[in-house]
Amino acid sequence: MASRTPFYILVSLLFFAGLALTLHRHIAFDIPWFPGEQRQTWSIEAKVDFEANGEPVTASLAIPNTQPGFTQLNQQTASPGYGLSFVEGKGGTYAQWSIRQANGNQSLYYKVDMLLDPFAIPAEQEPVANVKPHVEKEPYATAAQMILDRATERSSSHYTLARELIHEFNNQEQTAELLVQVKPKTIWIAQLLQEAGVPARRIHALYLEDGRRRQSLIEYIQVFDGENYEVFNPETGEQGQAQNMLLWQYHSGPVLEVVGAINAQVTFSMISQEQPFNIALNQKFADNEWLNFSLYTLPLEEQAIFKGILLIPVGVLIVVLMRILIGIKTSGTFMPVLIAMAFIQTSLTTGLIGFLLIVGVGLMIRSYLSYLNLLLVARISAVIIMVIGMIAFFSIVAYKFGLTEGMKITFFPMIILAWTIERMSILWEEEGAKQVMIQGGGSLLVAILAYLAMNLDWIRHLTFNFMGIQLILMAITLVAGSYTGYRLLELKRFKPLTKLDKS
Amino acid sequence: MNAPAKKMTWFQALRERYAHPNALSKIGVLGMNRRNVSYISRYNPRHLFPLVDDKLKTKELALEAGLKVPNLIGVISEQHAVKNLSAILQRCSSGFCIKPAHGSGGKGILIITRQSEEGYRKSNGQIATIADLERHVSNILAGLFSLGGRTDVAIIEDLIHFDDCFSGFSYEGVPDTRVIVFRGFPVMAMMRLSTADSNGKANLHQGAVGVGLNIGDGRALRAVQFDKPILLHPDTGLNMMTLKVPHWEEVLNLAVSCYEMSGLGYLGTDIVLDRFKGPMLLELNARPGLTIQIANGKGLLPRLRHIESLSHKKKMSAVDRVAYTREHFTDHY
């Protein structure tokens, strides 16, 4: 006998590969084990107001992208009469509205949904452009240098320098006041950090709190240390980014730029929402993440098809187990799986009634066909046509009686039904009604079990989201294929032998 | 108080109806899964299956090997040749039998005991017309009786004149002897007798009587119908224990030579006894059923393992193998 070791190695490889893939998807992509889990998303609306005075207007609003902690889902704008485009610029992404002529108060809306997502995959962070050193006028140059020197003395690294710089601005109040006359504190801090060779920039962040309206952006200092960065509060020197802090503009550019109008300002309102994770994931993967091999990257219609296809192995496994472990006879090996798939479309009761109706009436008509003495292919074809006729007839009857459920009968695979009728009919002629009941009942039982398994939300969720499950199913099937023990029904069949032994 | 008692009876009922797996393996009962994995797929090379699945090929092979088979009257392989049926039937004077080459489980076998002016007399006494026979042949050609419904060939062969010693044991049909041959050793045998319940068919699950045969001398060990032991034939009332297959040595030799002929390690051979010609090979089966164990009242595994444990080195001749099994597997009672 050939060694079974390679077989068991293969099976365990499949099993553990499947398990690892599954765990990887759970951990790396945050896909939950159970369906119906919710994910928090934020809907943030930016409202741009300005006063136009009849000139052509161009308004550019910086908009946020996927960033650590947040994944951008979908975005919408509302701006009647305005042309709109999304512009990728050096200073990040902009929503750009334009109009030839506008008068009076104008309001433009931009809405974005951000998924609270610890596993967000942000686009590459742009390094801070090296700003040419500003030559400041006196006395500002000296004042700034004084603050920087002091901070440099008391610091040891990029981050500590940033923190000390902010502290110095707070400590040396008079110097700070002098500097702020020329430009805002945050610009000074970013500029001084740059001068000291520390990549840093001014960014605009938004605090997310449910139901807040008319919020505005808060300025922060972003300091880089190689690949990493830290965010500093320019008022307190506090380091770190709160979980509900969304970076709105972090590309050193302006937040809002309006040409051709006055009194432009932007305000924000936001609400928090709970969304089923799959809707959130669908939106997350809607943008082609080709690196990320996932069914969520497919269009919705194809996703629906795959949902069905990926369930088939579960049904097939049920058939395998029923035959190998229990020993149930079915007519047509995998016919029960196909019937179960039809049940999924029709719901169980409707499906059962429809199936019994069609097969029952089909058997009656088929018994007449057997008198006609036809060749096999022609007879099967006749049965197929007959099945189609019956389905049409029952659909119309059901519709006339107002039973819309009855229309679902069309979901049954017609060729399979025809073969089922043909097989049952031959079985009836040769072995009698009892065998028809046994095999037909066995097929239906397996079909119902397969349906119950395939219709479980949890199983649908697992097979669709975790490709690794398919490998695990494969491993189980292989193991079942080498099972040499008794089938359950054999325990009953061979019972007389044990009695004999005792007597 | 009632609940545990009720549970007990439920459990007892279960134990009454189902055997414990350990109990079965103690007797050495061969299960379907083990038969498929450890015997059929290991000892029966797939490419040899067509030889036994096609009765026509089996017949040719047997004739080549010099084994006795029922005489072939004719073959109809095309739909348009069906009209030649009556011409073919002219060749034989008495009874004949029409069967599909790929039939399984005795499906599609039509037995005509006598042909006369009034028509063709079927084994159950009904008279069939030539049109009935042509319809049957055309059904066979269309694949009605073959596995998977593929197109088939109809074989017409001489009727077996079964041995008088079986009269009274079989109702209508032809009794046949099934011998399981494992690597050339006959390991277990039974006789299948048709009854009124089985409509003259020799299928055990349709109500035929299975008689376990002592491999040593061909005597009946026990008889079962519907998996239950019986003593008397349900139709004729004959004591089944008086059954003894004549020419037993010849039957075993015939069965064993099928191993050399087919190359299949785990083989079911169906043998009939003709009054004039002696034992003849009816058909071979590469997937023999497990009911033979019930008919014999014992499991196949101990004998199969015994044969497996024999040394491969010394090749035994067919006669030696028969002698070996008759010595080792004889039931003493």
Side-chain angles (χ1 to χ4, degrees):
Chain A
M1 179 189 180
S3 167
R4 297 296 274 170
T5 323
F7 172 75
Y8 288 116
I9 290 175
L10 173 72
V11 167
S12 43
L13 263 181
L14 275 174
F15 184 80
F16 286 111
L19 203 65
L21 263 176
T22 308
L23 283 175
H24 173 255
R25 287 212 31 103
H26 175 66
I27 293 164
F29 295 102
D30 189 32
I31 292 170
W33 294 124
F34 294 96
E37 277 196 23
Q38 306 276 311
R39 287 283 179 272
Q40 195 182 12
T41 57
W42 288 95
S43 278
I44 303 147
E45 190 179 70
K47 184 179 174 218
V48 176
D49 292 297
F50 53 82
E51 279 172 42
N53 44 23
E55 286 172 35
V57 178
T58 308
S60 301
L61 175 70
I63 55 175
N65 270 324
T66 297
Q67 53 187 281
F70 295 95
T71 295
Q72 190 206 55
L73 302 179
N74 43 2
Q75 44 188 1
Q76 291 172 323
T77 56
S79 42
Y82 280 81
L84 170 79
S85 62
F86 291 102
V87 184
E88 289 283 344
K90 204 175 157 214
T93 315
Y94 286 88
Q96 197 170 66
W97 289 274
S98 50
I99 194 164
R100 181 65 60 191
Q101 200 182 20
N103 273 311
N105 282 337
Q106 303 283 313
S107 291
L108 304 173
Y109 294 92
Y110 167 80
K111 188 174 149 246
V112 65
D113 288 335
M114 301 296 275
L115 171 70
L116 197 65
D117 182 5
F119 305 94
I121 312 147
E124 196 85 356
Q125 273 272 354
E126 267 178 65
V128 180
N130 262 335
V131 192
K132 276 182 222 151
H134 272 280
V135 184
E136 295 293 344
K137 276 185 264 167
E138 290 296 348
Y140 309 112
T142 322
Q145 196 58 46
M146 222 161 74
I147 287 185
L148 181 59
D149 288 346
R150 186 102 175 108
T152 315
E153 269 171 39
R154 299 165 64 152
S155 65
S156 59
S157 65
H158 287 187
Y159 295 155
T160 46
L161 177 64
R163 197 178 61 219
E164 287 310 315
L165 208 53
I166 295 164
H167 282 165
E168 282 314 308
F169 264 92
N170 290 342
N171 291 345
Q172 304 184 27
E173 279 177 26
Q174 290 192 341
T175 324
E177 261 173 42
L178 176 73
L179 291 174
V180 175
Q181 284 171 5
V182 203
K183 44 189 161 186
K185 187 161 91 175
T186 46
I187 297 184
W188 273 114
I189 293 173
Q191 186 185 324
L192 288 177
L193 281 169
Q194 291 271 21
E195 265 174 45
V198 177
R201 65 183 165 207
R202 199 167 60 120
I203 56 171
H204 297 86
L206 191 63
Y207 268 100
L208 300 175
E209 278 174 272
D210 193 17
R212 289 303 176 94
R213 299 177 64 236
R214 305 191 69 79
Q215 299 291 298
S216 42
L217 297 174
I218 302 162
E219 290 186 359
Y220 278 86
I221 302 291
Q222 190 184 28
V223 181
F224 289 83
D225 188 3
E227 289 286 293
N228 306 316
Y229 70 82
E230 280 289 347
V231 173
F232 289 87
N233 184 330
E235 296 304 323
T236 61
E238 210 179 305
Q239 183 179 336
Q241 188 177 355
Q243 207 204 4
N244 62 339
M245 190 173 119
L246 172 73
L247 304 188
W248 190 271
Q249 203 296 117
Y250 44 96
H251 292 282
S252 328
V255 173
L256 179 64
E257 235 178 358
V258 178
V259 180
I262 50 166
N263 288 342
Q265 61 160 346
V266 58
T267 54
F268 297 88
S269 49
M270 62 210 77
I271 49 166
S272 149
Q273 289 174 319
E274 293 288 321
Q275 258 187 330
F277 87 98
N278 52 343
I279 294 175
L281 283 184
N282 254 326
Q283 294 173 350
K284 175 173 173 178
F285 295 118
D287 305 327
N288 267 329
E289 288 270 2
W290 57 272
L291 271 175
N292 169 23
F293 182 73
S294 164
L295 289 172
Y296 283 106
T297 52
L298 293 175
L300 273 180
E301 200 183 328
E302 274 73 16
Q303 279 190 34
I305 293 172
F306 262 99
K307 250 184 187 154
I309 291 176
L310 289 175
L311 276 174
I312 296 177
V314 177
V316 170
L317 183 68
I318 299 263
V319 171
V320 167
L321 295 183
M322 283 294 134
R323 283 176 82 99
I324 293 180
L325 297 186
I326 313 286
I328 293 181
K329 279 186 189 168
T330 60
S331 92
T333 314
F334 291 111
M335 184 272 265
V337 181
L338 295 165
I339 299 297
M341 304 258 300
F343 284 168
I344 288 177
Q345 308 277 336
T346 59
S347 87
L348 189 57
T349 351
T350 326
L352 264 180
I353 294 172
F355 180 80
L356 291 176
L357 210 61
I358 292 181
V359 173
V361 177
L363 275 177
M364 281 192 263
I365 304 178
R366 167 65 179 73
S367 71
Y368 169 70
L369 280 180
S370 70
Y371 283 113
L372 294 182
N373 195 13
L374 300 173
L375 294 176
L376 182 80
V377 184
R379 193 171 56 224
I380 304 264
S381 313
V383 174
I384 291 172
I385 296 170
M386 178 180 94
V387 166
I388 292 171
M390 277 193 294
I391 286 177
F393 175 74
F394 286 130
S395 298
I396 293 167
V397 169
Y399 184 73
K400 289 272 183 206
F401 283 97
L403 300 167
T404 43
E405 277 287 293
M407 300 291 289
K408 289 183 176 167
I409 214 162
T410 47
F411 284 113
F412 275 108
M414 291 163 207
I415 311 280
I416 299 297
L417 277 183
W419 268 107
T420 308
I421 292 170
E422 177 67 22
R423 277 213 197 85
M424 296 267 179
S425 152
I426 291 176
L427 202 64
W428 194 308
E429 282 173 20
E430 289 183 355
E431 321 243 316
K434 198 181 158 200
Q435 277 296 315
V436 174
M437 291 301 151
I438 290 174
Q439 290 202 12
S443 307
L444 265 190
L445 180 70
V446 176
I448 291 172
L449 285 176
Y451 160 81
L452 289 178
M454 287 157 81
N455 209 33
L456 268 186
D457 267 350
W458 185 54
I459 288 181
R460 297 172 81 91
H461 167 82
L462 286 183
T463 52
F464 184 66
N465 288 291
F466 300 99
M467 286 294 202
I469 295 282
Q470 305 291 333
L471 295 184
I472 295 178
L473 290 178
M474 181 79 173
I476 298 175
T477 313
L478 289 183
V479 170
S482 63
Y483 168 75
T484 56
Y486 296 110
R487 298 175 178 177
L488 184 66
L489 291 179
E490 279 175 349
L491 297 181
K492 189 179 170 196
R493 180 182 172 196
F494 293 124
K495 177 72 185 174
L497 288 176
T498 60
K499 279 184 187 152
L500 191 83
D501 204 39
K502 277 169 203 154
S503 57
Chain B
M1 287 305 281
N2 229 344
K6 207 171 176 185
K7 206 171 185 179
M8 231 16 232
T9 55
W10 170 83
F11 188 65
Q12 276 166 352
L14 194 75
R15 286 191 56 173
E16 198 60 36
R17 297 179 60 193
Y18 289 84
H20 194 278
N22 288 347
L24 285 187
S25 64
K26 222 171 99 189
I27 313 170
V29 174
L30 179 65
M32 193 68 89
N33 291 328
R34 189 178 291 277
R35 182 200 74 171
N36 292 344
V37 171
S38 305
Y39 293 97
I40 292 185
S41 65
R42 200 185 301 166
Y43 292 106
N44 291 354
R46 189 77 225 181
H47 70 274
L48 296 177
F49 275 45
L51 296 183
V52 295
D53 285 345
D54 185 338
K55 290 191 183 102
L56 201 56
K57 276 189 188 163
T58 314
K59 216 178 185 61
E60 285 164 6
L61 208 64
L63 285 173
E64 249 172 64
L67 303 184
K68 274 187 280 184
V69 289
N71 187 30
L72 184 67
I73 297 168
V75 178
I76 296 180
S77 50
E78 304 283 342
Q79 182 62 38
H80 62 78
V82 171
K83 57 180 184 292
N84 304 338
L85 182 65
S86 64
I88 293 172
L89 294 179
Q90 295 292 315
R91 291 182 214 158
C92 70
S93 51
S94 59
F96 57 89
C97 151
I98 304 178
K99 54 167 102 168
H102 287 101
S104 68
K107 285 180 198 164
I109 297 181
L110 182 70
I111 294 167
I112 301 297
T113 50
R114 215 172 46 226
Q115 43 177 321
S116 60
E117 295 296 309
E118 46 188 326
Y120 301 89
R121 193 169 181 277
K122 291 205 273 190
S123 54
N124 59 8
Q126 289 173 354
I127 305 290
T129 62
I130 186 73
D132 289 335
L133 298 190
E134 280 174 359
R135 187 168 78 108
H136 186 77
V137 170
S138 138
N139 273 342
I140 289 175
L141 295 183
L144 183 62
F145 306 107
S146 46
L147 292 166
R150 56 183 174 168
T151 53
D152 207 344
V153 192
I155 301 175
I156 303 152
E157 57 184 25
D158 254 344
L159 192 66
I160 295 128
H161 309 277
F162 64 87
D163 208 300
D164 286 332
C165 66
F166 297 130
S167 52
F169 287 112
S170 188
Y171 176 86
E172 289 179 354
V174 181
D176 72 343
T177 309
R178 155 71 57 93
V179 182
I180 302 274
V181 179
F182 179 55
R183 298 175 68 187
F185 293 86
V187 287
M188 208 175 260
M190 77 166 165
M191 175 149 252
R192 290 180 298 191
L193 307 169
S194 44
T195 62
D197 288 326
S198 75
N199 268 323
K201 284 183 180 161
N203 276 337
L204 292 188
H205 69 266
Q206 287 176 2
V209 174
V211 184
L213 298 176
N214 190 337
I215 206 89
D217 53 12
R219 279 178 201 278
L221 284 172
R222 62 197 291 262
V224 290
Q225 188 188 25
F226 292 119
D227 293 352
K228 303 239 160 42
I230 55 166
L231 189 64
L232 305 176
H233 192 279
D235 304 318
T236 62
L238 229 62
N239 185 344
M240 304 300 291
M241 290 306 129
T242 60
L243 183 103
K244 181 184 183 300
V245 179
H247 317 292
W248 186 240
E249 175 94 37
E250 245 184 286
V251 170
L252 289 186
N253 282 331
L254 178 63
V256 164
S257 41
C258 292
Y259 163 69
E260 261 92 21
M261 177 188 103
S262 68
L264 293 167
Y266 185 74
L267 185 65
T269 58
D270 291 347
I271 293 166
V272 285
L273 283 166
D274 191 273
R275 202 184 312 161
F276 309 112
K277 298 176 186 165
M280 289 198 292
L281 177 65
L282 199 60
E283 62 178 280
L284 295 177
N285 200 324
R287 313 167 193 81
L290 302 170
T291 326
I292 194 167
Q293 302 179 104
I294 299 173
N296 273 268
K298 51 176 63 72
L300 269 167
L301 277 176
R303 292 180 179 187
L304 296 177
R305 287 190 178 131
H306 183 111
I307 302 294
E308 276 182 314
S309 69
L310 290 180
S311 155
H312 293 255
K313 280 174 192 156
K314 56 171 184 198
K315 278 255 177 185
M316 285 183 174
S317 72
V319 180
D320 288 346
R321 289 196 303 259
V322 171
Y324 185 88
T325 35
R326 289 182 80 168
E327 188 192 330
H328 285 84
F329 297 154
T330 297
D331 293 278
H332 302 285
Y333 45 97

